[in-house]
Every structure is written in C-alpha cells, then in structure tokens.
Amino acid sequence: MRRTFTIVAVAASAVGLLAPAAGAAGKGDWHPAPTEPFVTSGVCSFTMKGDIVRDTTEARTLSTYPDGSVEVEEARGPLVIRFTNASTGRSVVRDVSGYALIRYLEDGGREYHFDGGGSIPVRVASPGFPPGWYILHGRFTVVGHTDGTRIFSDVHATVENLCETLT
C-alpha cells in the first residue's frame, strides 16, 4: 500500500543509512559509496534480504572537524534494490535513488536530509512509528541518535511498508 503523508516528529530505528568510506578521496572529491547486499531480521515478521540491482552512488566530503573527521558529507546517485521475503521468496524491486546531505554530529549521531528515495528499516521495538521496512520517495529528514533511534521530520513523501507488500 502506498500513501502520501506528512510526519512531524516520529521516532524510528534505522541501520546502514550512509557511512563515510574508508580511505575515501580528499575533501570535495566524489568517490564511490556502494551499498552492500544485506539479510536482516527483527524488522518484519520475516527475514528480509536485499540484493543490489544497480548502484553507482557516490559521496563527497563538504567539511571536516578540526581533527579531520567528516562533519558534512553529501551522497547522490542511482540505487536499485531487490527486497525479498526470505520465507516465501516473494520479491519486489525498488528504486531508492536520490540525494542526501549528512551531518555527522559531535555526539556520534547523524542528521540526514534526503531528496529522492530512501530505504529505512524500523525495528519492532522502536517507539512512535509502526515497525516495518519503509521506502520513501520525496523529501524528508532523519536524525540518528547514538542509541539507534531515529527521529523523522519534515516528511513530504510517498511511503510504502515493504513488510506489508511482501507478506
């Protein structure tokens, strides 16, 4: 089921959004930022498998902290993933291509501003947002805290819960 709505502030838990690449190119240089295939449980009532169909995403550092660690990074590019219910074999392919601006907070958290697609898992134990694996298309912000929770805000997007789609 797809629907369009606005979320003002909702907590969620997400994994693997974006991380700086080890040995990344210098400040301001675009470098490949591939997404790894995954298998995960604890999000849907079944184990979810993600296979990368197309990925030419790239990232670059816009600013650093005085110690040289990344402060602000941007990522862009095509990303298409096949999501599979490992119990039934049912699968769908979703294009989550887009643009993201990521601010690495001093406390270890992260703030993400997305424009385009996003793939966000919400764990069963996460407060304030129904569990599921959400595909979003539009504009939205996610703040990731060090305890693993995520706060969604300014969400103006089409949202699909893959746990419902693949059941």
Side-chain angles (χ1 to χ4, degrees):
M1 170 204 248
R2 291 184 188 202
R3 54 199 153 123
T4 302
F5 64 100
T6 301
I7 301 172
V8 176
V10 180
S13 175
V15 295
L17 291 172
L18 289 173
K27 185 175 172 181
D29 295 334
W30 288 102
H31 57 85
T35 300
E36 296 295 323
F38 59 86
V39 175
T40 189
S41 56
V43 178
C44 301
S45 61
F46 51 86
T47 298
M48 176 80 76
K49 181 180 174 191
D51 292 303
I52 309 308
V53 174
R54 180 174 179 225
D55 184 0
T56 56
T57 55
E58 56 187 358
R60 70 177 174 178
T61 300
L62 298 180
S63 65
T64 58
Y65 286 104
D67 69 358
S69 62
V70 176
E71 179 181 19
V72 179
E73 180 178 49
E74 65 181 332
R76 66 181 184 189
L79 177 58
V80 179
I81 304 171
R82 177 180 309 279
F83 295 89
T84 303
N85 176 331
S87 300
T88 66
R90 185 172 180 191
S91 69
V92 294
V93 174
R94 295 295 182 256
D95 184 340
V96 294
S97 302
Y99 171 85
L101 183 69
I102 307 103
R103 178 174 303 280
Y104 294 84
L105 307 174
E106 291 187 68
D107 69 357
R110 296 180 188 164
E111 180 179 286
Y112 305 85
H113 299 276
F114 289 96
D115 188 359
S119 169
I120 314 283
V122 177
R123 300 257 174 234
V124 174
S126 193
F129 200 79
W133 197 295
Y134 293 90
I135 302 298
L136 294 91
H137 287 100
R139 289 186 172 192
F140 54 100
T141 298
V142 180
V143 177
H145 296 285
T146 56
D147 66 359
T149 59
R150 303 290 185 257
I151 305 298
F152 285 66
S153 63
D154 301 323
V155 176
H156 304 281
T158 301
V159 179
E160 175 187 16
N161 183 349
L162 290 180
C163 295
E164 293 174 2
T165 301
L166 294 173
T167 299

